[in-house]
Amino acid sequence: MAQSAMTCPHCHGQDLQPANGDTRLGRCGSCGFTFPLPVAEADDSTWRQQADAEADALPGWPKLRGDRYRIIRPLATGAQGRILLAHHRHLDQICVVKILDVEDEWRQVAEARLRTEARAGVMVSHRNVARVLDCDCIEGVWYFVMEYVPGENLRDIVRGAGRLCWAQVVALAADVADGLAAVHAAGLIHRDIKPSNIMLRNDGIPKIMDLGLVKIAGRPMDMALTQDGQLLGTPYYMAPEQFALDGEITSQVDIYGLGATMYHLLAGRPPHRGAGVLELANRHRHDPVVWCDAVIRSVPSWVRHVVETCLAKQPEHRFTSATALREALLSGMDVRSPVMAPPQQPGPRGIAVMALRNLSRDEADEWIGDAVAEYLSNRLRELEGLNVVDRQAVARLLTQQGGAPCDEATDEQLVAAARLLGAGLVVVGSFQRSGDQLRISARTVGNAGGAAERLAVNISGTIARLFNLEDDLASELIEALGREGSADSGAPARGTQSIEAQEKLVRGRRLFADGDYQGAIEAADQALADDPDFIDAVSLVGACYARIGDYDRAVEYHRREEERARQEGDMRRLAEALGNVGVMYYYKGEYGLAYEFLAKARNIGAEEAFFADTAKYQANLGFVLMRLNRFEEAETAFAQAIDINKKYGDLVSLAWPYNGMGSVLLKQRRYAEAADFYRRARSLAEEIGDRVNVGVSHMNLGRCACLMGQFAEAEACFDEALQTLEGTDFWNGLTLVYEHMADMYLQEGNTAAAMHAIDKRLELAIKHGNQRMEAEAWEQKAKAHELAGSKDDAVRCLKRSIEISQRPVPHESLNRYLSEITKRPPFA
């Protein structure tokens, strides 16, 4: 039987050519989609007579054949009988006839499955679900008739043609999800969604097949379909809960099965492989989804995120329904995050606005240059799709790289630093004040993907008209960028109409940058005295309290910022406030609350297309999810943060999620992969002079070496981390280094060195008022005393840990640990 040529059903652009040398399949050279080629049926009387003879040996078939069906050809012969292609005489329709022929001990199960498939099939009428036409028992032989689907199943297509292109996988999965929605609406659960149970017709329409394992709502039929605890489903595509024989089975298992099928179509193999059912069950329950490099390079991150959501270990973390999955596929959005893929554009395309230089050299006027830059930045952030880079980050990068101070840097130095942060265009300028007169000059340097024209503008007026001058300058800059400015001329972006309050806020920000947090709080409070609704001043006070470790006060001010942002409808500010609150709860050790607030911030950032901000929220969520032991989701969060930063060309921000990704992999004992991410973070941080991330990377490489038993290398890495972090304000990073050093010494049995490291950890935690860290340090010290044989000291430290924790009900593990120690005889 020859294959017939055919035009691509998807793009109709050209005839399909044999795919990967398989003449049964054709691939379009234009769109890349693969389809089964139609078969030209031959009238071969020899094999038809043979099929007739075989069927005639079954009781009842001669009567059935003569009355309704004419055999065309056999399709398959299996353990449960024969499958024939036939012509229904009365309906004048090609169909598939399944004839049951099994051994007696399996007959009851086989008959139950056949009846179930028939009963379920007539309950669903949908273009993506194969229709059932007939089912009956004649002279003791059961048969089942369904529509004929000309084509190939997806398993055989991948075997013959290799991986399918992602666009076709998305289109196929959306159609299958639509069919599944109809199955679920009928009160059914398929339970065996896999590539071989999805047929792809020659015209490109997928059909869900084989409802033999379907579960019908309200019918306790599982015992009728299985014997001796046999699993229902195919282990490569089964959801974790399907491996528990008494587990609750919901429609979520079909979402998982479709996710596993999508993975197979994209990667060319199932998501997990193992030597047997038990190993496969453990992999489905515990192993993360891992993509090969070829898929990562060729498949958009949002498609991978949709698949990963389907493959979540817990049913409640998957898509809520097949309809929700279909909508996610059609909209191109990762709903779990939800993070849409940022637009693909080459090179850094952001913009940075630097503080204007003070040509009058009067230090009392320095605030003007910062105020103008801040206002311009806020106005530009209102433009859709434009990433505005923090000017302070550019200034820090210049200093870290050993360059000139920001106000003395050349245009080339500024552009080079800004590009590492994802900004191809930099706004620079100067101002000069003489009495009440003010003159402002601004220009652009660099290039943002060719999107902006060069701007050079001079504006002058009185200092009393500063806000008007800022508006004029913003309008010219927005016009030069080829954008339409906001009709609202500034109040939301500026935050205040008081020049006095603006001046005091800028002074406060300068004090904050210099590390004078108390001075910054005083300046911000003075700004609030001039304008009680000045949201920027409220935010600054919250940031100051966070830096000095007063997280409760920081939460109080950031919640005020949140309330004000809601009143003004400022979504970017709202997301920022929620994110700050989430970080404060993280530092307080209240990880559930931290997740709640950071997830809200992330969702707003995604919905409003604040992609650069969303990357930051995703990275922070990754660290929270790690603390919640939700490692698969943490890995996804870090991957999304990395993906967004790369798309925007923000290399500087990659070090933090690189370190986070390494820590997730470390938790999963994937040491080589973890070390690779730590080295990437260290190399990048060293290149830009980021001492904090250099130190953190050294610490993490030490952890990795320690867990692999390489204690000498671990100690060297920890020493490097301490030397690097000393002198920075990242005190909690130093605390972590001492914690990991103590763990290493305890593993080696060196209790004296462990005690010294723990005491350093305690000193830092007490100094900064972090009760969570202090309580954890006392618990670690109890373990050190226990190892040293000092029971009384171990009990004392445990009691101190419980006391410091200030929990209404002391921590269960600490109480259990305390109980175990107090019951033991004195140490030898």
Side-chain angles (χ1 to χ4, degrees):
M1 287 172 284
Q3 307 297 127
S4 303
M6 95 185 211
T7 302
C8 176
H10 174 64
C11 68
H12 308 288
Q14 55 183 272
D15 287 347
L16 301 179
Q17 300 301 314
N20 203 26
D22 192 327
T23 57
R24 298 174 304 122
L25 305 171
R27 179 169 288 153
C28 178
S30 296
C31 65
F33 281 31
T34 301
F35 299 96
L37 296 174
V39 176
E41 295 290 354
D43 186 11
D44 189 334
S45 59
T46 302
W47 56 254
R48 184 182 301 134
Q49 290 173 3
Q50 180 182 353
D52 282 343
E54 292 177 357
D56 284 345
L58 294 174
W61 173 250
K63 176 181 178 182
L64 178 66
R65 186 192 66 188
D67 182 37
R68 303 183 203 176
Y69 300 99
R70 178 179 65 84
I71 292 179
I72 298 176
R73 61 184 170 93
L75 293 176
T77 299
Q80 296 189 1
R82 295 169 175 79
I83 303 177
L84 305 171
L85 183 65
H87 173 250
H88 194 298
R89 299 178 187 274
H90 304 317
L91 298 179
D92 190 24
Q93 184 172 353
I94 303 297
C95 57
V96 173
V97 180
K98 293 184 178 182
I99 307 167
L100 201 61
D101 180 23
V102 297
E103 299 295 335
D104 289 342
E105 61 267 26
W106 288 103
R107 181 174 296 278
Q108 182 181 359
V109 173
E111 289 178 356
R113 288 182 177 173
L114 186 144
R115 291 194 301 270
T116 296
E117 184 170 7
R119 186 182 300 118
V122 298
M123 296 170 67
V124 182
S125 177
H126 192 277
R127 71 189 293 267
N128 298 117
V129 181
R131 289 182 298 120
V132 171
L133 303 175
D134 193 8
C135 179
D136 202 353
C137 180
I138 296 181
E139 298 182 10
V141 176
W142 280 93
Y143 72 93
F144 167 80
V145 186
M146 63 185 299
E147 72 167 302
Y148 171 56
V149 181
E152 301 281 348
N153 69 60
L154 294 180
R155 180 195 61 185
D156 289 344
I157 289 176
V158 173
R159 280 180 176 176
R163 299 186 298 114
L164 301 186
C165 70
W166 70 266
Q168 184 174 17
V169 174
V170 168
L172 289 173
D175 281 347
V176 173
D178 202 24
L180 273 180
V183 171
H184 296 162
L188 308 174
I189 304 169
H190 190 286
R191 296 200 289 192
D192 199 20
I193 294 295
K194 57 184 178 181
S196 60
N197 278 343
I198 299 172
M199 289 288 293
L200 182 61
R201 291 189 353 177
N202 305 132
D203 59 4
I205 297 176
K207 292 269 190 178
I208 298 172
M209 313 291 289
D210 195 354
L211 298 174
L213 296 186
V214 75
K215 185 179 188 299
I216 302 177
R219 295 178 183 268
M221 57 191 312
D222 287 2
M223 294 304 295
L225 300 182
T226 185
Q227 291 183 349
D228 300 326
Q230 179 187 358
L231 291 174
L232 293 176
T234 305
Y236 287 112
Y237 309 95
M238 285 167 56
E241 60 268 29
Q242 283 180 281
F243 289 94
L245 295 179
D246 58 348
E248 181 183 358
I249 302 301
T250 69
S251 60
Q252 287 295 313
V253 303
D254 291 343
I255 303 293
Y256 191 96
L258 182 50
T261 296
M262 291 176 66
Y263 184 100
H264 191 148
L265 302 182
L266 293 167
R269 61 175 178 82
H272 300 293
R273 290 181 288 190
V277 173
L278 288 180
E279 184 178 347
L280 273 170
N282 284 328
R283 292 193 181 281
H284 280 286
R285 288 173 180 144
H286 305 297
D287 284 10
V289 177
V290 178
W291 299 94
C292 64
D293 289 341
V295 173
I296 292 173
R297 288 193 301 268
S298 61
V299 178
S301 60
W302 72 264
V303 178
R304 288 183 272 123
H305 297 158
V306 167
V307 175
E308 290 165 7
T309 302
C310 294
L311 295 175
K313 308 301 182 188
Q314 299 297 323
E316 60 269 23
H317 296 161
R318 300 171 203 151
F319 290 99
T320 56
S321 66
T323 300
L325 168 56
R326 181 175 184 270
E327 290 174 353
L329 289 165
L330 294 180
S331 64
M333 180 184 293
D334 175 5
V335 175
R336 177 175 65 174
S337 302
V339 179
M340 289 188 296
Q344 300 275 1
Q345 295 180 20
R349 55 194 181 279
I351 188 169
V353 183
M354 307 308 298
L356 305 187
R357 298 178 183 179
N358 181 7
L359 299 183
S360 65
R361 301 300 180 184
D362 186 345
E363 291 187 2
D365 294 331
E366 288 290 332
W367 69 273
I368 297 174
D370 275 300
V372 174
E374 182 69 13
Y375 178 70
L376 290 178
S377 297
N378 288 338
R379 284 292 300 277
L380 291 173
R381 287 190 182 98
E382 296 173 1
L383 302 179
E384 184 177 352
L386 183 63
N387 178 29
V388 181
V389 172
D390 180 10
R391 66 181 179 282
Q392 300 295 344
V394 178
R396 284 195 300 271
L397 191 54
L398 282 169
T399 304
Q400 289 168 352
Q401 293 180 321
C406 193
D407 59 351
E408 299 176 9
T410 65
D411 290 350
E412 291 74 15
Q413 289 173 322
L414 283 171
V415 170
R419 286 185 69 84
L420 289 173
L421 288 154
L425 193 70
V426 182
V427 179
V428 298
S430 61
F431 72 93
Q432 187 167 17
R433 181 178 178 182
S434 178
D436 289 338
Q437 295 298 309
L438 181 67
R439 180 183 177 84
I440 298 175
S441 299
R443 58 190 175 87
T444 57
V445 293
N447 185 279
E453 299 178 2
R454 290 292 183 269
L455 167 71
V457 60
N458 295 297
I459 296 177
S460 60
T462 64
I463 188 65
R465 296 189 66 253
L466 173 63
F467 290 171
N468 302 96
L469 298 178
E470 289 176 337
D471 288 336
D472 293 342
L473 186 58
S475 297
E476 295 226 17
L477 177 57
I478 291 170
E479 183 178 353
L481 289 168
R483 308 292 191 99
E484 291 185 3
S486 170
D488 192 335
S489 63
R494 184 175 291 111
T496 184
Q497 294 300 310
S498 168
I499 291 180
E500 292 77 12
Q502 185 72 51
E503 177 182 356
K504 291 165 184 172
L505 175 70
V506 172
R507 295 188 192 282
R509 283 177 171 159
R510 284 175 169 260
L511 291 168
F512 179 88
D514 293 338
D516 183 357
Y517 304 123
Q518 289 295 344
I521 290 173
E522 292 174 8
D525 284 340
Q526 291 171 5
L528 287 170
D530 289 334
D531 182 354
D533 294 328
F534 195 1
I535 193 172
D536 287 341
V538 173
S539 178
L540 177 59
V541 176
C544 290
Y545 280 123
R547 286 297 180 92
I548 62 180
D550 191 344
Y551 302 127
D552 289 329
R553 295 292 299 277
V555 167
E556 175 189 336
Y557 274 86
H558 287 312
R559 293 305 297 268
R560 283 178 57 185
E561 181 186 9
E562 173 198 349
E563 180 182 0
R564 187 66 184 170
R566 289 186 189 280
Q567 292 172 356
E568 294 182 354
D570 186 341
M571 301 307 292
R572 187 183 295 276
R573 172 75 71 178
L574 176 59
E576 182 180 324
L578 291 168
N580 287 334
V581 173
V583 172
M584 294 307 100
Y585 280 123
Y586 174 81
Y587 285 138
K588 291 178 66 178
E590 299 180 39
Y591 303 121
L593 284 170
Y595 177 85
E596 177 184 337
F597 280 92
L598 280 167
K600 289 178 182 177
R602 184 269 320 276
N603 292 348
I604 292 173
E607 290 164 5
E608 300 293 330
F610 304 148
F611 293 120
D613 294 338
T614 304
K616 175 179 64 178
Y617 304 139
Q618 282 294 93
N620 287 335
L621 264 175
F623 289 104
V624 173
L625 288 163
M626 281 184 59
R627 290 287 188 172
L628 294 171
N629 295 323
R630 292 159 62 175
F631 301 122
E632 181 186 5
E633 294 172 81
E635 185 174 349
T636 299
F638 287 127
Q640 290 170 342
I642 290 168
D643 193 47
I644 295 172
N645 284 325
K646 282 183 176 180
K647 283 186 171 70
Y648 276 96
D650 186 355
L651 301 181
V652 173
S653 299
L654 280 172
W656 200 242
Y658 274 162
N659 267 312
M661 180 67 86
S663 297
V664 172
L665 297 170
L666 196 70
K667 285 284 188 180
Q668 300 172 55
R669 300 182 181 180
R670 294 157 63 183
Y671 300 129
E673 295 173 77
D676 179 58
F677 273 98
Y678 291 147
R679 292 189 191 100
R680 289 190 214 179
R682 184 184 63 187
S683 298
L684 182 58
E686 286 174 342
E687 180 182 346
I688 63 178
D690 182 352
R691 288 184 61 192
V692 167
N693 270 303
V694 170
V696 170
S697 301
H698 278 303
M699 175 191 72
N700 287 331
L701 284 167
R703 292 169 60 206
C704 204
C706 187
L707 289 170
M708 290 189 289
Q710 301 168 356
F711 296 118
E713 182 179 345
E715 188 166 14
C717 290
F718 289 141
D719 286 340
E720 287 279 357
L722 288 176
Q723 292 177 26
T724 306
L725 291 175
E726 289 286 356
T728 72
D729 60 0
F730 192 47
W731 65 269
N732 40 355
L734 278 172
T735 307
L736 286 171
V737 177
Y738 285 121
E739 175 188 350
H740 296 309
M741 289 182 74
D743 280 338
M744 176 189 67
Y745 290 131
L746 289 175
Q747 287 184 59
E748 293 180 297
N750 188 347
T751 55
M755 291 288 189
H756 176 73
I758 296 169
D759 286 339
K760 286 287 189 180
R761 183 186 179 192
L762 274 169
E763 180 184 330
L764 285 166
I766 293 170
K767 177 182 177 181
H768 293 278
N770 191 306
Q771 293 181 327
R772 175 184 63 82
M773 288 185 175
E774 185 183 352
E776 290 174 352
W778 282 113
E779 183 181 359
Q780 189 181 39
K781 194 166 187 176
K783 294 176 181 177
H785 279 303
E786 183 182 7
L787 186 64
S790 178
K791 172 180 175 178
D792 292 340
D793 287 334
V795 170
R796 175 181 57 81
C797 290
L798 273 177
K799 289 181 176 178
R800 182 63 176 151
S801 179
I802 293 172
E803 177 187 350
I804 298 266
S805 299
Q806 292 186 343
R807 299 180 177 93
V809 178
H811 197 278
E812 181 182 348
S813 65
L814 292 180
N815 269 343
R816 185 166 54 250
Y817 184 16
L818 180 60
S819 175
E820 290 173 359
I821 286 184
T822 53
K823 290 177 182 177
R824 291 175 192 159
F827 296 123

